[in-house]
Coordinates of all heavy atoms in Angstrom, one line a residue:
T1 N -23.6 24.8 -25.2 CA -24.7 25.2 -24.4 C -24.5 24.6 -23.0 O -24.3 23.4 -22.8 CB -26.1 24.7 -25.0 OG1 -26.2 25.2 -26.3 CG2 -27.2 25.2 -24.1
T2 N -24.6 25.5 -22.0 CA -24.4 25.1 -20.6 C -25.8 24.5 -20.1 O -26.8 25.2 -20.1 CB -24.0 26.2 -19.7 OG1 -22.8 26.8 -20.2 CG2 -23.8 25.7 -18.3
T3 N -25.8 23.2 -19.8 CA -27.0 22.6 -19.4 C -27.1 22.3 -17.9 O -28.2 22.0 -17.4 CB -27.2 21.2 -20.1 OG1 -26.1 20.3 -19.7 CG2 -27.1 21.4 -21.6
L4 N -26.0 22.4 -17.2 CA -26.0 22.0 -15.8 C -24.9 22.8 -15.1 O -23.8 22.7 -15.4 CB -25.9 20.5 -15.5 CG -25.9 20.0 -14.1 CD1 -27.3 20.2 -13.5 CD2 -25.5 18.5 -14.0
S5 N -25.2 23.6 -14.1 CA -24.2 24.3 -13.3 C -23.7 23.5 -12.2 O -24.4 22.9 -11.4 CB -24.8 25.6 -12.8 OG -25.2 26.5 -13.8
G6 N -22.4 23.5 -12.1 CA -21.7 22.7 -11.0 C -21.3 23.7 -9.9 O -21.4 24.9 -10.0
P7 N -20.6 23.1 -8.9 CA -20.2 24.0 -7.8 C -19.1 25.0 -8.2 O -19.0 26.0 -7.5 CB -19.6 23.0 -6.8 CG -19.3 21.7 -7.6 CD -20.3 21.7 -8.7
D8 N -18.4 24.7 -9.3 CA -17.3 25.7 -9.7 C -17.9 26.6 -10.8 O -17.1 27.3 -11.4 CB -16.1 24.9 -10.2 CG -16.4 23.8 -11.1 OD1 -17.5 23.8 -11.7 OD2 -15.6 22.9 -11.4
D9 N -19.2 26.5 -11.1 CA -19.8 27.3 -12.1 C -19.4 27.1 -13.5 O -19.7 27.9 -14.4 CB -19.7 28.8 -11.7 CG -20.4 29.2 -10.4 OD1 -21.4 28.6 -10.1 OD2 -19.8 30.0 -9.7
V10 N -18.7 26.0 -13.8 CA -18.3 25.7 -15.2 C -19.5 25.1 -15.9 O -19.9 25.4 -17.0 CB -17.1 24.8 -15.3 CG1 -16.9 24.3 -16.7 CG2 -15.8 25.6 -14.8
G11 N -20.1 24.1 -15.2 CA -21.3 23.5 -15.7 C -20.9 22.5 -16.8 O -19.7 22.4 -17.2
V12 N -21.9 21.7 -17.3 CA -21.7 20.8 -18.4 C -22.0 21.5 -19.7 O -23.1 22.0 -19.8 CB -22.5 19.5 -18.2 CG1 -22.4 18.6 -19.4 CG2 -22.2 18.8 -16.9
R13 N -21.1 21.5 -20.6 CA -21.3 22.1 -21.9 C -21.7 21.0 -22.9 O -21.0 20.0 -23.0 CB -20.1 22.9 -22.4 CG -19.5 23.8 -21.3 CD -20.4 25.0 -21.1 NE -19.9 25.9 -20.0 CZ -19.3 27.0 -20.3 NH1 -19.0 27.4 -21.5 NH2 -18.9 27.8 -19.3
V14 N -22.7 21.3 -23.7 CA -23.2 20.3 -24.7 C -23.2 20.9 -26.0 O -23.6 22.1 -26.2 CB -24.6 19.8 -24.3 CG1 -25.1 18.9 -25.4 CG2 -24.6 19.1 -22.9
A15 N -22.7 20.1 -27.0 CA -22.8 20.5 -28.4 C -23.2 19.3 -29.3 O -22.9 18.2 -28.9 CB -21.4 21.1 -28.9
V16 N -23.9 19.6 -30.4 CA -24.4 18.5 -31.2 C -23.9 18.8 -32.6 O -23.9 19.9 -33.1 CB -26.0 18.4 -31.2 CG1 -26.5 17.3 -32.1 CG2 -26.4 18.2 -29.8
H17 N -23.5 17.7 -33.3 CA -23.2 17.9 -34.8 C -23.6 16.6 -35.5 O -23.6 15.5 -34.9 CB -21.7 18.2 -35.0 CG -20.8 17.1 -34.7 ND1 -20.4 16.8 -33.4 CD2 -20.2 16.1 -35.5 CE1 -19.6 15.7 -33.4 NE2 -19.4 15.3 -34.6
R18 N -23.8 16.7 -36.8 CA -24.1 15.6 -37.6 C -22.9 15.1 -38.3 O -22.2 15.8 -39.0 CB -25.2 15.9 -38.6 CG -26.6 16.1 -38.0 CD -27.6 16.6 -39.0 NE -28.9 16.6 -38.5 CZ -29.4 17.5 -37.7 NH1 -28.7 18.5 -37.4 NH2 -30.7 17.4 -37.2
S19 N -22.5 13.8 -38.0 CA -21.3 13.3 -38.4 C -21.4 12.5 -39.7 O -22.3 11.7 -39.8 CB -20.7 12.4 -37.4 OG -19.5 11.7 -37.9
V20 N -20.6 12.9 -40.7 CA -20.6 12.1 -42.0 C -19.2 11.7 -42.4 O -19.0 11.2 -43.4 CB -21.2 13.0 -43.1 CG1 -22.7 13.2 -42.9 CG2 -20.4 14.3 -43.3
D21 N -18.2 12.0 -41.5 CA -16.8 11.6 -41.8 C -16.6 10.1 -41.7 O -17.3 9.4 -40.9 CB -15.9 12.3 -40.7 CG -15.9 13.8 -40.8 OD1 -16.3 14.3 -41.9 OD2 -15.6 14.5 -39.8
P22 N -15.7 9.6 -42.6 CA -15.5 8.1 -42.6 C -14.9 7.6 -41.3 O -15.1 6.4 -41.0 CB -14.6 7.9 -43.8 CG -13.9 9.3 -44.0 CD -14.9 10.3 -43.6
G23 N -14.3 8.5 -40.5 CA -13.7 8.0 -39.3 C -14.6 8.2 -38.1 O -14.1 8.0 -36.9
Q24 N -15.8 8.5 -38.3 CA -16.8 8.7 -37.2 C -18.1 7.9 -37.5 O -18.4 7.8 -38.7 CB -17.1 10.1 -36.9 CG -16.1 10.8 -36.0 CD -16.6 12.2 -35.5 OE1 -17.0 13.0 -36.3 NE2 -16.6 12.4 -34.2
P25 N -18.8 7.5 -36.5 CA -20.1 6.9 -36.8 C -21.1 7.9 -37.5 O -21.1 9.0 -37.1 CB -20.6 6.4 -35.4 CG -19.4 6.4 -34.5 CD -18.5 7.5 -35.1
N26 N -21.8 7.4 -38.5 CA -22.8 8.3 -39.2 C -24.0 8.6 -38.3 O -24.5 7.6 -37.6 CB -23.2 7.7 -40.5 CG -22.1 7.7 -41.5 OD1 -21.3 8.6 -41.5 ND2 -22.2 6.8 -42.4
G27 N -24.4 9.8 -38.2 CA -25.6 10.1 -37.4 C -25.4 11.4 -36.6 O -24.5 12.2 -36.8
V28 N -26.2 11.5 -35.6 CA -26.1 12.7 -34.7 C -25.2 12.3 -33.5 O -25.5 11.4 -32.8 CB -27.5 13.1 -34.2 CG1 -27.4 14.3 -33.2 CG2 -28.4 13.5 -35.4
V29 N -24.2 13.1 -33.3 CA -23.2 12.9 -32.2 C -23.4 14.0 -31.2 O -23.4 15.2 -31.5 CB -21.8 12.8 -32.7 CG1 -20.8 12.7 -31.6 CG2 -21.6 11.7 -33.7
L30 N -23.5 13.6 -29.9 CA -23.6 14.6 -28.8 C -22.2 14.6 -28.1 O -21.7 13.6 -27.6 CB -24.7 14.1 -27.9 CG -24.8 14.9 -26.6 CD1 -25.2 16.4 -26.9 CD2 -25.8 14.3 -25.6
S31 N -21.6 15.8 -28.0 CA -20.4 16.0 -27.3 C -20.7 16.8 -26.0 O -21.4 17.8 -26.0 CB -19.4 16.9 -28.1 OG -19.1 16.2 -29.3
A32 N -20.2 16.3 -24.9 CA -20.4 16.9 -23.6 C -19.1 17.0 -22.9 O -18.3 16.1 -22.9 CB -21.5 16.2 -22.8
T33 N -18.9 18.1 -22.2 CA -17.6 18.3 -21.5 C -17.8 19.3 -20.3 O -18.7 20.1 -20.3 CB -16.5 18.9 -22.5 OG1 -15.3 19.0 -21.8 CG2 -17.0 20.2 -23.1
T34 N -16.9 19.1 -19.4 CA -16.8 20.1 -18.2 C -15.4 20.1 -17.7 O -14.6 19.2 -18.0 CB -17.8 19.7 -17.1 OG1 -17.8 20.7 -16.1 CG2 -17.3 18.4 -16.4
S35 N -15.0 21.2 -17.1 CA -13.7 21.3 -16.5 C -13.8 21.5 -15.0 O -14.7 22.3 -14.5 CB -13.0 22.5 -17.1 OG -12.7 22.3 -18.5
V36 N -13.0 20.9 -14.2 CA -13.0 21.0 -12.8 C -11.6 21.2 -12.2 O -10.6 20.8 -12.9 CB -13.6 19.7 -12.1 CG1 -15.0 19.5 -12.5 CG2 -12.8 18.5 -12.5
W37 N -11.5 21.7 -11.0 CA -10.2 21.9 -10.4 C -10.1 20.8 -9.3 O -11.1 20.6 -8.5 CB -10.1 23.3 -9.8 CG -8.8 23.4 -8.9 CD1 -7.6 23.6 -9.4 CD2 -8.8 23.4 -7.5 NE1 -6.7 23.7 -8.3 CE2 -7.4 23.6 -7.2 CE3 -9.7 23.3 -6.5 CZ2 -7.0 23.7 -5.8 CZ3 -9.3 23.3 -5.2 CH2 -8.0 23.5 -4.9
L38 N -9.0 20.2 -9.2 CA -8.7 19.2 -8.2 C -7.5 19.6 -7.4 O -6.4 19.9 -8.0 CB -8.5 17.8 -8.7 CG -9.6 17.2 -9.6 CD1 -9.2 15.8 -10.2 CD2 -10.9 17.1 -8.7
P39 N -7.5 19.5 -6.0 CA -6.3 19.9 -5.2 C -5.3 18.8 -5.2 O -4.7 18.5 -4.1 CB -6.9 20.2 -3.9 CG -8.1 19.3 -3.8 CD -8.6 19.2 -5.2
I40 N -5.0 18.2 -6.3 CA -4.1 17.1 -6.5 C -3.1 17.4 -7.6 O -3.5 17.9 -8.6 CB -4.8 15.8 -6.8 CG1 -6.0 15.5 -5.8 CG2 -3.9 14.6 -6.9 CD1 -5.5 15.2 -4.4
P41 N -1.8 17.1 -7.4 CA -0.8 17.3 -8.5 C -1.2 16.6 -9.8 O -1.8 15.5 -9.7 CB 0.5 16.8 -7.9 CG 0.3 16.9 -6.4 CD -1.1 16.6 -6.2
P42 N -0.9 17.2 -10.9 CA -1.3 16.5 -12.2 C -0.7 15.1 -12.4 O -1.4 14.3 -13.0 CB -0.7 17.5 -13.3 CG -0.5 18.8 -12.6 CD -0.2 18.5 -11.1
E43 N 0.5 14.9 -11.9 CA 1.1 13.5 -12.1 C 0.3 12.5 -11.4 O 0.1 11.3 -11.9 CB 2.5 13.5 -11.5 CG 3.5 14.4 -12.2 CD 3.4 15.9 -11.7 OE1 2.6 16.1 -10.7 OE2 4.0 16.8 -12.4
I44 N -0.3 12.8 -10.2 CA -1.1 11.8 -9.5 C -2.4 11.6 -10.2 O -2.9 10.4 -10.4 CB -1.3 12.2 -8.0 CG1 0.0 12.3 -7.3 CG2 -2.3 11.3 -7.3 CD1 -0.1 12.8 -5.9
V45 N -3.1 12.6 -10.7 CA -4.3 12.5 -11.4 C -4.1 11.7 -12.7 O -4.9 10.8 -13.0 CB -4.9 13.9 -11.8 CG1 -6.2 13.8 -12.6 CG2 -5.1 14.7 -10.5
F46 N -3.0 12.0 -13.4 CA -2.8 11.3 -14.7 C -2.5 9.8 -14.4 O -3.1 8.9 -15.1 CB -1.6 11.9 -15.4 CG -1.1 11.1 -16.6 CD1 -1.8 11.0 -17.7 CD2 0.1 10.3 -16.5 CE1 -1.4 10.3 -18.8 CE2 0.5 9.6 -17.6 CZ -0.2 9.6 -18.8
G47 N -1.7 9.5 -13.4 CA -1.5 8.1 -13.0 C -2.7 7.3 -12.6 O -2.9 6.2 -13.0
F48 N -3.6 8.0 -11.9 CA -4.9 7.4 -11.5 C -5.8 7.1 -12.7 O -6.4 6.0 -12.8 CB -5.6 8.3 -10.5 CG -7.0 7.8 -10.2 CD1 -7.3 6.8 -9.3 CD2 -8.1 8.5 -10.7 CE1 -8.6 6.4 -9.1 CE2 -9.4 8.1 -10.4 CZ -9.6 7.0 -9.6

């Protein structure tokens, strides 16, 4: 679900799931993500 629009119109995407896996904390987990473009080569961004 897009909850916030950014200047590049991707916005912040939010998803919720209930975790019961042994490798994750038990309970309600909120995942949030966004994608942006930077005028910088990938090697420099990764190094930073």
Side-chain angles (χ1 to χ4, degrees):
T1 301
T2 304
T3 63
L4 182 66
S5 296
D8 48 18
D9 295 326
V10 170
V12 176
R13 310 291 176 101
V14 174
V16 180
H17 70 278
R18 287 175 171 82
S19 172
V20 294
D21 296 336
Q24 278 192 306
N26 288 332
V28 178
V29 175
L30 174 63
S31 301
T33 179
T34 189
S35 295
V36 297
W37 174 77
L38 301 177
I40 306 292
E43 297 80 8
I44 296 177
V45 177
F46 172 71
F48 171 75

